[in-house]
Amino acid sequence: MKRKSIILAMIAALLWPSAGISAEETRTIEDEIIYDVLVDRYFNKLIQNDYEVDSTDPSRFSGGDFAGMESEIGHVREMGFTVLSIGSVFQSASYDGKEVIDYGQLERHFGTSEEFLALIEKVHSDDMKLIVDLPTQTLNAEHSWTATNPEWFTENEDGTIALDTDNEQVQQALIEMFQQFRADYPIDGVRLQQSDELSPAFVESFSNALKEDGGFYVLADAEMPAQPGFDAVVQEGVEDTLRNSYRVFDQPLTAVPDLMEQSAGNLIQVDSLNGSRFTSDIVESRGYPPTRWRMLFAQLLTMPGIPVVQYGSETAMNGEALPDSHQILDMAVEKELVDYITNLTTLRNSSEALRTGELEMLHEEEGWMVYKRSNEEEAWIIAINNSSETKNLTLDQEIIGDDMELRGLFENDIVRPNDDGQYRLTLNRELVETYHITEKRGLNTAYVATLALMYLVFMGFLWVVWKKGKQRKADEAAKKQQAKEI
């Protein structure tokens, strides 16, 4: 599977060399794929900031820190994500950073200013962007602003407090605070927590102030209608629709086409960090998590919208509610799902049509859905068989084009027109295929050349391993002989 993902990446680079874009070029929010994580649950590298941590208690700090995230950032980069969202980093009474005590201090469990700056620099050097969360509605009762401005706050039922973002003084204080934070730490964006409860006037003025220098994202965390100030909000109904559609096979996909018609420019996600995990839905329905996750990832990464993938989704992390759904990330798991994600992100990052192209729904019936993503330069057919039997569909020449062919990149299927000029798709149960529409031709020289190159590289690798093994045995034999002589 790992070799296949490498080959697919090379094929993408050969077939669509101009489609990918770097952070320094014209990348917009619609070109991004976001990996959403909590610092405390990613990787613990330094023990000196482990203040009374308890990794066995899911409600306590577990020890994850900036240094650990920097050292293991390759896990995110290699999966093809372009934005790292790390939650709130301010001094907090809670491991998820939401119960902020002081906006002027970094959470000591996460590390120092120097370590945070090193993480930002590493993210940027890997051609990714970094965003943080800004909580304003779940602050600690001992928040540093309460001593001088108690009238800014209201009390929540759980004992936390919320800032009144309708108050102009509060708006100005938050803007000035975050402008200073951004001056100290060159992050690339912010996600406003409980965004549907914030004053629209605050959101717009906050966004305008932070965007004065350009190149900065302001995102919402809630399913809500688009509003001024936000670069993207979470698509309404996205989690329920996708989770209900893919928890088991033979589920109707009737709600998915309407969702896709509305999702362009919006954040699309399944496993938000505010509650249960999709895996818990699968287990409850007695489904098989790896297969279900593959189906859903294929949908998420080929449909219109801005994908947000929560940490642990790549390991099928379970959990019915907080804090059990915020487990420590286990990177030492079977990599099959990780490789599958990498294949899909490789295609999306390489193809402007898959990121922002037009959508045309071609078929949806009994868990069998086929749609087209295209722009003026390229076109794709995505076929999803979320059923327990093999499905077929015949597409007319008007949809595909005259004398064209469909090249499947995952199941290696090639579909050419029949005598009537029609294209017949066949897909086995619980599979997704992504077809690239190309001019009809014989041997795909770029593909074959890539396969040949990878074969030579792999054979060279085996030869090196064999030589080293042979040399090691010879060295061991010589040591044994010397020992006997002594």
Side-chain angles (χ1 to χ4, degrees):
M1 192 69 180
K2 186 67 173 178
R3 287 177 59 202
K4 186 176 180 180
S5 68
I6 295 172
I7 292 173
L8 184 56
M10 295 182 69
I11 293 172
L14 284 169
L15 295 180
W16 315 287
S18 61
I21 49 180
S22 68
E24 288 74 23
E25 296 177 300
T26 57
R27 205 161 82 198
T28 69
I29 187 62
E30 291 186 281
D31 295 309
E32 310 289 12
I33 310 176
I34 301 172
Y35 186 83
D36 194 12
V37 67
L38 299 171
V39 175
D40 183 66
R41 300 299 154 101
Y42 190 73
F43 188 75
N44 185 6
K45 182 177 182 180
L46 303 178
I47 61 172
Q48 53 264 43
N49 55 33
D50 289 350
Y51 306 101
E52 300 177 353
V53 303
D54 185 355
S55 59
T56 65
D57 184 348
S59 67
R60 300 276 296 277
F61 282 93
S62 296
D65 47 38
F66 298 136
M69 189 164 282
E70 180 199 355
S71 69
E72 301 300 323
I73 199 65
H75 174 72
V76 179
R77 181 191 66 248
E78 291 166 9
M79 281 192 290
F81 293 96
T82 63
V83 175
L84 178 65
S85 171
I86 65 172
S88 172
V89 298
F90 307 104
Q91 184 183 352
S92 172
S94 58
Y95 70 86
D96 59 8
K98 291 184 177 181
E99 199 172 325
V100 177
I101 297 172
D102 189 348
Y103 288 126
Q105 302 291 328
L106 295 175
E107 172 49 49
R108 63 174 186 163
H109 288 90
F110 300 163
T112 66
S113 297
E114 291 77 15
E115 289 157 1
F116 186 35
L117 286 169
L119 170 61
I120 297 171
E121 182 178 357
K122 177 61 175 175
V123 169
H124 289 167
S125 69
D126 285 341
D127 198 24
M128 294 190 293
K129 298 178 181 179
L130 186 141
I131 65 176
V132 302
D133 286 352
L134 176 57
T136 62
Q137 304 300 293
T138 57
L139 310 180
N140 187 270
E142 301 299 322
H143 190 278
S144 60
W145 288 356
T146 59
T148 54
N149 300 99
E151 71 280 5
W152 289 0
F153 298 88
T154 58
E155 187 173 347
N156 300 321
E157 292 182 358
D158 62 359
T160 62
I161 56 177
L163 279 165
D164 177 11
T165 56
D166 283 313
N167 185 311
E168 292 184 1
Q169 289 182 317
V170 171
Q171 295 178 15
Q172 192 58 37
L174 285 170
I175 291 171
E176 291 177 358
M177 175 278 296
F178 208 83
Q179 283 179 322
Q180 183 59 54
F181 180 83
R182 189 187 177 195
D184 295 337
Y185 306 106
I187 59 172
D188 305 289
V190 60
R191 183 170 57 181
L192 297 178
Q193 291 289 293
Q194 293 177 273
S195 49
D196 54 341
E197 299 179 17
L198 303 179
S199 160
F202 160 68
V203 172
E204 189 167 8
S205 59
F206 178 89
S207 179
N208 290 338
L210 269 296
K211 288 175 173 290
E212 286 180 352
D213 297 330
F216 194 79
Y217 297 147
V218 178
L219 307 180
D221 75 327
E223 296 185 9
M224 57 187 291
Q227 74 175 59
F230 286 119
D231 291 284
V233 301
V234 181
Q235 172 63 42
E236 292 184 286
V238 64
E239 289 197 47
D240 286 344
T241 298
L242 294 181
R243 290 172 79 136
N244 291 335
S245 298
Y246 287 102
R247 63 172 65 199
V248 292
F249 56 79
D250 287 332
Q251 289 283 107
L253 302 177
T254 51
V256 177
D258 286 342
L259 177 73
M260 288 198 289
E261 292 289 349
Q262 305 169 42
S263 59
N266 292 332
L267 302 169
I268 50 175
Q269 59 189 34
V270 177
D271 238 8
S272 79
L273 298 183
N274 296 323
S276 67
R277 292 288 187 146
F278 176 55
T279 299
S280 68
D281 293 0
I282 303 171
V283 173
E284 182 183 11
S285 302
R286 299 186 179 181
Y288 182 57
T291 300
R292 297 290 87 214
W293 267 112
R294 284 196 295 272
M295 300 289 291
L296 192 141
F297 273 126
Q299 174 74 76
L300 194 70
L301 292 167
T302 61
M303 67 182 282
I306 305 141
V308 183
V309 176
Q310 283 65 39
Y311 89 100
S313 297
E314 73 273 27
T315 65
M317 185 180 290
N318 203 349
E320 295 184 2
L322 302 177
D324 292 327
S325 56
H326 288 173
Q327 300 170 29
I328 300 171
L329 180 62
D330 181 6
M331 299 182 197
V333 297
E334 171 59 46
K335 298 296 184 182
E336 183 175 350
L337 190 53
V338 171
D339 291 340
Y340 189 72
I341 296 169
T342 305
N343 288 341
L344 288 164
T345 58
T346 297
L347 290 182
R348 190 179 183 94
N349 287 332
S350 301
S351 169
E352 185 176 350
L354 285 177
R355 298 193 302 271
T356 59
E358 294 182 3
L359 169 72
E360 181 181 358
M361 184 58 57
L362 304 177
H363 182 83
E364 188 286 308
E365 185 180 11
E366 297 179 349
W368 172 224
M369 184 168 65
V370 180
Y371 53 94
K372 181 179 180 181
R373 301 294 312 279
S374 62
N375 59 15
E376 294 181 356
E377 285 75 36
E378 56 178 333
W380 301 83
I381 298 291
I382 294 91
I384 299 178
N385 183 1
N386 189 43
S387 75
S388 56
E389 59 184 37
T390 299
K391 294 289 187 178
N392 300 284
L393 181 68
T394 299
L395 300 177
D396 292 334
Q397 178 178 305
E398 290 76 13
I399 296 172
I400 305 302
D402 185 21
D403 207 29
M404 304 292 280
E405 66 182 23
L406 306 178
R407 289 188 168 265
L409 298 183
F410 290 96
E411 302 304 318
N412 299 320
D413 188 18
I414 299 178
V415 181
R416 296 189 175 95
N418 58 23
D419 293 340
D420 297 326
Q422 296 180 317
Y423 300 78
R424 185 172 176 82
L425 304 182
T426 300
L427 195 61
N428 291 333
R429 56 172 289 176
E430 295 188 89
L431 287 178
V432 177
E433 181 59 290
T434 303
Y435 296 94
H436 186 217
I437 301 178
T438 66
E439 293 183 0
K440 187 178 178 182
R441 59 191 186 277
L443 200 61
N444 187 334
T445 54
Y447 182 80
V448 172
T450 302
L451 288 177
L453 175 61
M454 291 308 303
Y455 178 78
L456 291 174
V457 170
F458 182 66
M459 294 304 295
F461 170 75
L462 292 179
W463 183 81
V464 171
V465 171
W466 175 77
K467 287 287 290 182
K468 287 185 176 180
K470 185 177 180 181
Q471 184 61 48
R472 184 171 61 252
K473 289 181 179 179
D475 293 343
E476 291 175 353
K479 290 180 180 178
K480 289 181 181 179
Q481 183 63 35
Q482 291 176 355
K484 288 180 180 180
E485 294 175 356
I486 293 175

